[in-house]
Amino acid sequence: MDNSIKLSLAHMGGREQYWIDQAFKTGWIVPLGPNVDEFERLLGEYLGTPGRVVALSAGTAALHLGLVMLGVEPGDEVVCQSFTFSASANPVRYLGANPVFVGSESDTWNMDPAALDSCIADRIEKTGRKPKAIIPVHLYGMPAKMNEICAVADKWGIPVLEDAAEALGSELCGRKCGTFGRYAALSFNGNKIITTSGGGALVCPDAEAAARVKFYATQARENRPYYYHEVIGYNYRLSNVCAGIGIGQMEVLDEHLARRREIHAMYGSLLSGLSWLKVMDNPSADFDSNFWLSTITLDKACGHTPDELRLALGEQDIESRLLWRPMHMQPVFADAPYYSTGGVEERLFDSGLCIPSGSGLSDGQIERVARAIAAFGR
Ligand SMILES: *Cc1c(COP(=O)(O)O)cnc(C)c1O
């Protein structure tokens, strides 16, 4: 028997296969069709953004097209969160533009609004031009301080492209992540809250923008009897087969969200007696993370690194993962400007660990993880 406990595996609800079969029965084995339409409708209904969601082949594609829609061009600057997965920043480079990184605040671990403000002022002073867009991230599902970030963005007149890849179902002040930015990207990769095996979506400001995103995502073909192109297009639509998985996943989304939050609460109580670690939690009642991944930080005084804990858990077939290594510390972005908040994300990288959080994990498995962590500290 496989005794291993993984970080976050795809978790099927049961009806996904039915919708895949529908795609086969109706012959829609293409990157458009009834499953794609229905998946988009369900996402729009869930987020309260009807007619404004476009299903795409990946969250990375959604971020890329979001930047295209915001008019990002070669030589432009885009402000990104340093503490994130590289997919937040890579699309900036796809367009020949340059990322500028901002450090995190310690409440949510996301983009610091004050540092964002001084970053923008400094970029304008140094380059004479405003950054074209701002990409905040809701890391591990924890909402960024979007009210403050959007206020700074509005003050400077710069649009926000929200990276909500990890935050489907998370809320800030009762408002869903994915509805704060002018555009927002979602991901349905295999390890996310819901999956289409691989896929993503872009939430758009209106139906007209959504139609334009679909146009870009299907090779930017103009409405003529022959193939005619005025702009560069992409092949980024979601497969109708994969969208069938997405429809099945939407039926169990609420259940899966409840389970992620329950797992986080279990860790909170099972690990509460350990003075050498802290389970990351919502900083106030305004924040309602989906806890896509539960994370812990180790006290420096405990004398152990998170990688030592990762290896110890690995010996018991328990998968864990170090927190994201900040983008300003990545060789590929070594020349990008960086606006520090005093090393918050560097300290998090040095002290933190993601622990198994998949909605398919049993209470017994979570207890086994907690026991293994407690034994490590002894
Ligand atoms: C997963 C992820 C992405 C990219 O999504 P894909 O669907 O894998 O392309 C972007 N940003 C963040 C923060 C992510 O976690």
Side-chain angles (χ1 to χ4, degrees):
M1 200 185 95
D2 181 10
N3 209 22
S4 70
I5 301 180
K6 300 286 190 235
L7 200 62
S8 178
L9 287 184
H11 180 197
M12 293 299 107
R15 291 247 301 156
E16 291 83 0
Q17 188 69 54
Y18 168 82
W19 294 103
I20 293 173
D21 291 345
Q22 286 307 105
F24 277 75
K25 279 191 189 128
T26 56
W28 287 94
I29 313 294
V30 276
L32 81 166
N35 282 350
V36 175
D37 295 344
E38 177 63 3
F39 185 45
E40 287 174 342
R41 193 189 67 76
L42 290 169
L43 286 166
E45 185 178 86
Y46 180 77
L47 293 171
T49 58
R52 298 199 272 126
V53 179
V54 181
L56 299 167
S57 55
T60 309
L63 288 163
H64 190 180
L65 289 188
L67 293 172
V68 168
M69 290 298 290
L70 293 175
V72 171
E73 290 177 349
D76 284 340
E77 289 191 338
V78 173
V79 183
C80 297
Q81 185 164 315
S82 179
F83 197 40
T84 187
F85 179 43
S86 62
S88 292
N90 283 339
V92 176
R93 282 279 172 85
Y94 298 170
L95 289 164
N98 299 309
V100 173
F101 293 108
V102 167
S104 290
E105 34 81 10
S106 52
D107 293 336
T108 74
W109 299 1
N110 293 309
M111 185 181 279
D112 183 304
L116 170 65
D117 191 43
S118 43
C119 160
I120 296 168
D122 190 61
R123 294 323 296 164
I124 293 172
E125 195 184 304
K126 288 210 165 78
T127 69
R129 294 197 306 153
K130 284 194 295 194
K132 265 288 180 59
I134 303 165
I135 310 182
V137 189
H138 311 295
L139 224 49
Y140 306 118
M142 180 63 70
K145 293 185 176 174
M146 289 309 291
N147 293 327
E148 292 84 347
I149 288 170
C150 290
V152 171
D154 287 347
K155 177 183 122 181
W156 293 102
I158 302 172
V160 169
L161 166 56
E162 200 184 338
D163 183 347
E166 303 178 358
L168 184 62
S170 296
E171 293 185 10
L172 174 65
C173 302
R175 181 170 165 186
K176 286 198 169 69
C177 288
T179 66
F180 287 89
R182 185 173 311 169
Y183 288 88
L186 301 171
S187 168
F188 314 118
N189 208 330
N191 59 352
K192 299 287 162 77
I193 290 284
I194 63 167
T195 185
T196 56
S197 72
L202 189 63
V203 186
C204 301
D206 49 47
E208 199 184 332
R212 189 73 182 163
V213 169
K214 286 181 194 173
F215 163 82
Y216 274 115
T218 49
Q219 307 288 21
R221 188 183 161 193
E222 301 292 337
N223 188 18
R224 295 200 187 185
Y226 44 88
Y227 281 78
Y228 184 78
H229 305 275
E230 291 176 354
V231 295
I232 294 296
Y234 304 86
N235 180 7
Y236 275 174
R237 278 294 255 168
L238 182 66
S239 149
N240 193 60
V241 179
C242 295
I245 306 176
I247 298 173
Q249 290 273 280
M250 287 304 286
E251 294 173 5
V252 288
L253 172 59
D254 283 339
E255 259 169 63
H256 286 193
L257 285 167
R259 183 60 186 161
R260 295 256 178 190
R261 290 182 169 116
E262 200 170 69
I263 287 169
H264 172 263
M266 279 188 75
Y267 282 131
S269 65
L270 290 166
L271 302 174
S272 64
L274 306 176
S275 61
W276 53 277
L277 67 77
K278 217 171 135 260
V279 179
M280 173 60 167
D281 207 346
N282 289 311
S284 80
D286 286 346
F287 295 81
D288 188 10
S289 173
N290 62 16
F291 292 111
W292 169 56
L293 294 184
S294 284
T295 53
I296 58 174
T297 46
L298 311 194
D299 194 314
K300 256 227 144 60
C302 85
H304 290 290
T305 65
D307 202 45
E308 287 167 354
L309 175 53
R310 181 184 69 84
L311 292 169
L313 294 175
E315 276 170 24
Q316 299 184 46
D317 248 344
I318 297 171
E319 184 187 27
S320 61
R321 191 192 292 155
L322 299 177
L323 301 189
W324 302 122
R325 183 181 168 100
M327 288 306 113
H328 73 272
M329 297 167 67
Q330 301 288 353
V332 70
F333 294 125
D335 59 348
Y338 163 59
Y339 293 82
S340 170
T341 48
V344 171
E345 65 280 355
E346 293 169 18
R347 282 194 294 280
L348 287 168
F349 173 64
D350 282 339
S351 65
L353 199 66
C354 304
I355 54 180
S357 309
S359 43
L361 294 172
S362 68
D363 285 4
Q365 287 177 306
I366 299 303
E367 284 158 7
R368 199 180 118 205
V369 174
R371 273 198 307 275
I373 293 173
F376 172 81
R378 266 200 293 274

